[in-house]
Amino acid sequence: MGIRKQNCEVLRHEATIEITQPAGAFTYFTDLTENHYKAMIDVRLESPTGVPPNAQLIVTPRTGTDTIIDFTETATIQIENARAVTLKSTSALGGVMNIIKDFCICCPFGEVHRHEGTFSFRGSKFLFTDLTENHYKAMVVVKGRSGGQVVVTPRMGNATTIALPPRGQSAIQIEDAQVLSVATAGAPDGPPNTVQIIKDFCISCPDQSNDESNSDESSDND
């Protein structure tokens, strides 16, 4: 019997994150996956004072040193296999970050399917628990009312804690995690906090061809 070839595909995840921050450095995109990917990050900024802001995009790779990109108002960067993208400024600013990510996902057996949903909560806690065993990748888009943190616990190993920016908005790419929890300020009035999950996962059905053949043979012998 031959070895079954892996089913590998290139898929896309997208997210738009609103930016509102004081002076300082805040991470808006975190990627905890290990497979190859490329992503386009588009950032558009505006200053409350009307003066073009001075800012930096800091790209942190999986290994090696950071890349720092100076810009004012608008910047578009193409990244590859990065761990995080951070925005640093010397003054308060607002704006938006668009993320388009194309990535590889491979299933030893079966096919890749997608589940997607957006979940609202007015309290300060959100919990996602995944009890499956097959390989998956998911983009988690957190849109909170204020800062907080996200804790990602893998199936094996240590948890990773990610600090949310002041507005509480961040895109986090996870892989084979068992638990993801979000802690942010509650939203009793106005728009609720939301978490969008886009999950692409491997699924395979048992091969029953041998069982069916045996069944047919038994019928012929009756």
Side-chain angles (χ1 to χ4, degrees), residues 178-220:
Q178 188 167 26
V179 177
L180 179 142
S181 64
V182 179
T184 186
D189 301 313
N193 298 317
T194 65
V195 173
Q196 180 187 17
I197 299 175
I198 308 168
K199 178 186 175 185
D200 292 298
F201 57 93
C202 300
I203 184 169
S204 58
C205 297
D207 186 356
Q208 297 179 340
S209 57
N210 292 332
D211 294 339
E212 292 172 357
S213 298
N214 293 335
S215 177
D216 292 340
E217 291 176 0
S218 298
S219 298
D220 292 339

Side-chain angles (χ1 to χ4, degrees), residues 76-147:
T76 300
I77 61 171
Q78 191 85 34
I79 64 173
E80 181 176 11
N81 302 338
R83 275 283 178 245
V85 176
T86 300
L87 178 64
K88 183 178 181 180
S89 64
T90 57
S91 62
L93 50 77
V96 66
M97 176 182 289
N98 295 309
I99 302 164
I100 303 174
K101 177 187 172 183
D102 294 311
F103 60 95
C104 301
I105 182 170
C106 296
C107 297
F109 302 99
E111 302 174 339
V112 180
H113 286 258
R114 173 170 290 185
H115 285 164
E116 184 173 359
T118 299
F119 311 96
S120 301
F121 60 106
R122 292 197 171 275
S124 60
K125 303 287 186 181
F126 172 83
L127 178 67
F128 170 67
T129 301
D130 193 295
L131 301 179
T132 66
E133 296 296 332
N134 287 79
H135 178 52
Y136 80 85
K137 296 178 186 290
M139 176 169 277
V140 180
V141 185
V142 180
K143 294 188 176 181
R145 297 280 291 276
S146 64

Side-chain angles (χ1 to χ4, degrees), residues 5 9 12 32 42 47 72-74 102 118 124-125 163 165 175 178 187 200:
K5 184 178 179 181
E9 298 184 33
R12 173 170 291 182
L32 302 179
D42 169 47
S47 170
T72 59
E73 295 185 352
T74 304
D102 294 311
T118 299
S124 60
K125 303 287 186 181
E175 179 176 12
Q178 188 167 26
D200 292 298

